[in-house]
Amino acid sequence: MFNFLTNLFGKNKPWHERPTVIALFELIQFRDRMRQENLHDTATLPTTDDVTQPQPSEDGSHSKIRTADGSFNDLNDPKMGRVGSRFGRNVPLSKVYPDEANLLNPNPREISRKLLGRDEFVPATTLNLLAGAWIQFQTHDWFAHGNDQQGEKYELPLAEDDPWPQEHRPLQVQKTEADATRLSGDTSGPPTYINKVTHWWDASQIYGSDQQTIDKLRTHSDGKMILAENDLLPLDPEIGVAMAGFNDNWWVGLAMLHTLFVKEHNHLCDRLKQQYPHWNDEQLFQRARLINAALLAKIHTVEWTPAILGHPALQIGMRGNWWGLLGQEFKDSFGRIGDGELLSGIVGSPTDQHAAPYYLTEEFVAVYRMHPLMPDEFKFYSVKDGRLLVTKDLFEVSGKRSRSLEEEISMADLFYSFGISHPGAITLHNYPKLLQTLVRDNGEVFDLAAVDILRDRERGVPRYNDFRELIGRKRVNSFEEITDNSEWAKELREVYNNDINTVDLMVGMFAENPPKGFGFSDTAFRVFILMASRRLKSDRFFTKDYTAETYTQLGLDWIDDNSMLTVLRRHYPSLQRTLLGVENGFAPWKKI
């Protein structure tokens, strides 16, 4: 019946041009097929004998809380998804061997200069800048590769007319740190890489992925986390940025979101203590963390995603992931209807790993390369009267410099300024100039756009045309099939020497004509369809253990009843005027 309706209402049309109901069910078909065909396990490749096994806690708490390192989320496979485990793959392992002979061909630096660099800022006008900060905030929870500090470096050739700073030549890039868990000398599979944070959606960017970090961030009183006297995060004196579970690549956008959700954690501790006055510090902390992490996941699922993917089928589908197609009111009133996802959502359904144990994947990392969202210039305004306070560039709001900005401008003014500003569109020729000559606090200088290209090649992520085919899309036969921008097609042809099959994945995704209302490409979206659901479906704290016993009824109600907007209003009430009439916290706010 579904195939009949598909043919009747949109034969030969892409899914996003079909009627909403047909498009929605086609997306469900995409996801179900990819669950079987696009999950591939790297953990089966030979492992050294000295990899430590996680040990259960003596009091059994490991079965009731999110552990520091992510172990015991799956009680039958306690290693699954923990920090230090391998990235999986969304394409067969036979297809992810890096093409060593062509790692620098075409030259990533030339691709950066000729195809990626921002000519002028192209805004994503349906979003506010919080949407750009949010996705980095989330990716810091999900994945982090390490760089090989001691090994060889890649050296990128520089053209005669390349303006790269003379004092920082040659342009070198450290290799990704090798997987130390692989059996020495093993060549039975492609190279694998290690995730430095937990794979789970557990707010590790706030709390940390090891017990030492978690302990350092806690007050050890009433379950709360440390805030300085000025209501900002405590400063790490060694590196000059805020103390956080993950504080690499720090800038003011991250500082804002980390501060907001540390405040939310502490507020949750107060509410839990009122309800359960006999609970100790550890009980309050662990329950507040569970609730806070789930609230973040819900905000991402039903607010951020529909904001950046503005298609009617996605509006329904993402809410369906959380509550089911019957909707929140039905689920709140009558509970689940059976164990299936369709009617009652993934949340609270049985856990399922589908074709492979749960790990985030290298291809998932690749499709979340969204640096064009970042502007080069930031204007900060007063939420009280709309007055322009100061203008800063990207360098001035990042690294050690972010703290002075937080002290100079109130958090409410910072959030207001982001709420009325736009991020950049994720396209060619819109990569931030300042990220193409990125100066880090340690003095290192590199071209992040070139590094993005090189990393996908190094880690064996297939190039654009192969990738399309491996995830179920048709190959393209010409550059004009990628983009209807004739100038871009010409530039792609020149840079890639008229070889359509050498176009890099990120470049192809940036060049694509996205579906109407989409903030990124349909190719990236295919991996999103799979992994957005998987991050929920594989995690027992979103599935079989999403219960009042685990979260408390207060916690479940809190997650249901709150949103990005309620969190903002609670902690920064002066934002109320600018949020009047705003339905999604990541859409543009009202200017004062």
Side-chain angles (χ1 to χ4, degrees), residues 409-456:
I409 302 175
S410 74
M411 272 290 164
D413 288 340
L414 291 174
F415 274 106
Y416 169 65
S417 302
F418 272 50
I420 63 170
S421 302
H422 297 302
I426 303 172
T427 68
L428 295 184
H429 298 295
N430 206 27
Y431 205 100
K433 288 288 188 183
L434 285 169
L435 292 185
Q436 290 181 290
T437 314
L438 179 60
V439 182
R440 305 194 69 176
D441 287 340
N442 63 5
E444 183 183 5
V445 182
F446 58 93
D447 178 350
L448 187 57
V451 172
D452 282 348
I453 296 292
L454 181 56
R455 288 297 182 231
D456 283 353

Side-chain angles (χ1 to χ4, degrees), residues 137-407:
F137 179 57
Q138 291 300 295
T139 59
H140 282 184
D141 178 18
W142 301 332
F143 53 76
H145 289 80
N147 291 334
D148 186 348
Q149 302 293 335
Q150 307 300 326
E152 297 179 17
K153 298 180 180 180
Y154 301 109
E155 185 170 313
L156 276 57
L158 296 172
E160 289 186 9
D161 63 344
D162 194 314
W164 190 253
Q166 191 64 39
E167 64 273 22
H168 295 292
R169 294 175 180 242
L171 200 175
Q172 295 183 323
V173 178
Q174 291 171 324
K175 293 186 176 183
T176 303
E177 186 176 340
D179 178 2
T181 71
R182 282 290 285 275
L183 193 64
S184 179
D186 170 52
T187 57
S188 61
T192 49
Y193 299 97
I194 292 295
N195 195 354
K196 297 292 185 179
V197 299
T198 73
H199 293 254
W200 305 105
W201 210 346
D202 57 1
S204 62
Q205 81 276 39
I206 296 173
Y207 299 101
S209 291
D210 63 85
Q211 194 61 51
Q212 182 180 5
T213 299
I214 292 174
D215 289 342
K216 183 173 67 173
L217 298 172
R218 291 175 58 177
T219 66
H220 299 283
S221 175
D222 293 336
K224 293 187 176 182
M225 300 183 72
I226 299 171
L227 282 172
E229 291 182 2
N230 56 4
D231 238 15
L232 301 178
L233 300 177
L235 197 63
D236 187 331
E238 292 185 8
I239 58 176
V241 302
M243 291 168 54
F246 189 103
N247 58 8
D248 288 1
N249 307 313
W250 196 256
W251 66 293
V252 70
L254 290 179
M256 292 159 56
L257 291 170
H258 275 264
T259 303
L260 179 65
F261 284 95
V262 167
K263 289 170 72 72
E264 182 71 357
H265 172 96
N266 288 351
H267 183 77
L268 280 163
C269 289
D270 288 337
R271 293 296 301 271
L272 287 165
K273 188 174 182 179
Q274 291 173 1
Q275 190 92 7
Y276 307 98
H278 59 284
W279 276 10
N280 62 29
D281 169 67
E282 185 68 10
Q283 289 172 303
L284 291 167
F285 173 81
Q286 295 296 353
R287 291 297 175 90
R289 176 182 178 167
L290 272 170
I291 299 165
N292 208 21
L295 179 57
L296 289 170
K298 179 203 166 190
I299 289 171
H300 187 83
T301 302
V302 304
E303 296 179 72
W304 182 86
T305 302
I308 200 167
L309 300 174
H311 186 283
L314 260 294
Q315 314 296 309
I316 299 169
M318 296 314 297
R319 292 181 67 83
N321 261 6
W322 198 267
W323 290 296
L325 295 184
L326 294 176
Q328 180 181 2
E329 290 185 9
F330 185 96
K331 192 172 181 180
D332 287 347
S333 300
F334 302 104
R336 295 191 61 83
I337 302 298
D339 288 339
E341 302 168 31
L342 190 62
L343 297 180
S344 299
I346 293 173
V347 175
S349 70
T351 312
D352 195 337
Q353 310 300 343
H354 301 290
Y358 175 77
Y359 298 99
L360 293 176
T361 64
E362 296 291 1
E363 289 70 32
F364 178 77
V365 175
V367 302
Y368 267 102
R369 299 194 188 281
M370 297 183 178
H371 292 112
L373 288 166
M374 189 76 81
D376 281 296
E377 183 181 80
F378 299 78
K379 292 183 181 294
F380 296 100
Y381 299 88
S382 165
V383 70
K384 181 179 180 181
D385 55 19
R387 175 172 47 93
L388 177 64
L389 300 174
V390 69
T391 300
K392 300 280 187 180
D393 66 28
L394 179 54
F395 178 76
E396 293 172 309
V397 304
S398 63
K400 296 177 181 179
R401 296 156 297 282
S402 66
R403 187 51 163 230
S404 62
L405 187 65
E406 296 169 61
E407 293 172 345

Side-chain angles (χ1 to χ4, degrees), residues 56-70:
S57 57
E58 293 182 3
D59 62 1
S61 61
H62 65 279
S63 66
K64 303 172 185 176
I65 66 170
R66 289 193 179 277
T67 60
D69 67 353

